[in-house]
Amino acid sequence: MLDYLWNKRIAIISFLFLLIAILLLVMPPEAKLGNKVRLVYFHASIAENSIIFFVMAGIASLIFLFSKGENLFLRAISLFSVGFYLWVFQTILGAVNMKVIWGNFFWSEPKAKMGLILLAFSLVLFVLNEARIFSKKVLSFLFIAMALLAIFGLLFVSNVFHPSNAIFGSDVLAYKIIFVVLVISWFIINLLWSEKIFRSMQVTKKTDKK
């Protein structure tokens, strides 16, 4: 399946970017946020993808610890890298949304604080991986820790400023459908991005062996 997506990646990515743009364009205005609701959904769908990729990296790392398959470790790195870049991007988007929509920054909110903790932890892990200071086993445990931290932030950190279950708690069915399609569309795009990183690392590894 992944090979099929890779072979058709240009057409698939182009279609999905177009679909994302159309969905955001046709999204009905929200009662309180108006058309700014598009910014919220754009940001939220990317943040969800980041967490998904952190978790996938943790799962790949866990399997690697038991199987010792080199490709699994490379896969974990590629998945984590996408999650990291997305988290940096969503943090910037979150700050922009705070200022544009609510007129101020609310970094003292538990969710916002947790987001900054995730950013800091992922940044340290990204640097450690690039520096090759620790063994693959240690890095794998750190990828697993990153996944657990991301899950904790998503499920157990309380909301103060952000409304609870703002998306799926809405009475408007269109919002729920659009959000799910946005997340899936970004997921496929980001999966192909991680595949590109993975294949590049495989090429580099083969070159280093020569």
Side-chain angles (χ1 to χ4, degrees):
M1 179 62 178
L2 188 54
D3 285 336
Y4 174 80
L5 291 175
W6 178 255
N7 292 332
K8 304 290 185 179
R9 62 189 181 278
I10 295 177
I12 291 172
I13 291 174
S14 298
F15 168 76
L16 290 175
F17 272 128
L18 179 61
L19 177 61
I20 290 169
I22 292 173
L23 288 174
L24 292 173
L25 185 64
V26 302
M27 179 178 288
E30 200 266 339
K32 294 182 179 179
L33 298 178
N35 286 324
K36 291 177 182 177
V37 70
R38 296 167 182 167
L39 294 174
V40 175
Y41 274 62
F42 181 64
H43 166 244
S45 60
I46 291 176
E48 290 290 335
N49 261 262
S50 181
I51 292 173
I52 290 170
F53 277 81
F54 282 144
V55 172
M56 289 172 66
I59 294 172
S61 297
L62 184 62
I63 298 173
F64 166 75
L65 290 173
F66 288 98
S67 68
K68 301 299 180 183
E70 178 68 20
N71 280 341
L72 278 170
F73 182 71
L74 295 180
R75 182 69 71 183
I77 293 175
S78 68
L79 292 168
F80 167 79
S81 297
V82 170
F84 168 70
Y85 291 129
L86 289 176
W87 197 257
V88 172
F89 185 47
Q90 79 82 29
T91 301
I92 296 171
L93 281 176
V96 171
N97 282 1
M98 286 182 190
K99 190 65 176 176
V100 171
I101 298 174
W102 293 288
N104 207 340
F105 300 107
F106 298 91
W107 299 116
S108 60
E109 184 198 19
K111 279 286 187 184
K113 282 184 178 179
M114 191 65 200
L116 294 177
I117 291 172
L118 287 171
L119 179 64
F121 190 87
S122 63
L123 176 59
V124 171
L125 185 47
F126 181 83
V127 172
L128 290 176
N129 176 65
E130 290 295 313
R132 299 292 190 269
I133 297 175
F134 295 123
S135 67
K136 295 173 183 176
K137 184 176 181 180
V138 172
L139 286 172
S140 294
F141 277 115
L142 290 174
F143 287 144
I144 294 170
M146 183 73 230
L148 294 174
L149 191 62
I151 293 172
F152 176 80
L154 176 68
L155 299 179
F156 301 108
V157 177
S158 62
N159 286 302
V160 175
F161 182 74
H162 289 80
S164 180
N165 198 20
I167 294 173
F168 291 106
S170 172
D171 294 330
V172 183
L173 180 61
Y175 288 148
K176 301 174 185 178
I177 294 173
I178 287 174
F179 182 72
V180 170
V181 177
L182 284 174
V183 170
I184 293 173
S185 298
W186 280 124
F187 175 78
I188 296 172
I189 291 171
N190 293 323
L191 185 64
L192 288 169
W193 182 12
S194 73
E195 182 68 10
K196 184 178 187 302
I197 296 173
F198 174 72
R199 292 180 183 234
S200 296
M201 287 191 296
Q202 281 188 315
V203 171
T204 301
K205 179 186 172 185
K206 290 178 182 179
T207 303
D208 291 341
K209 287 183 177 181
K210 292 182 180 179

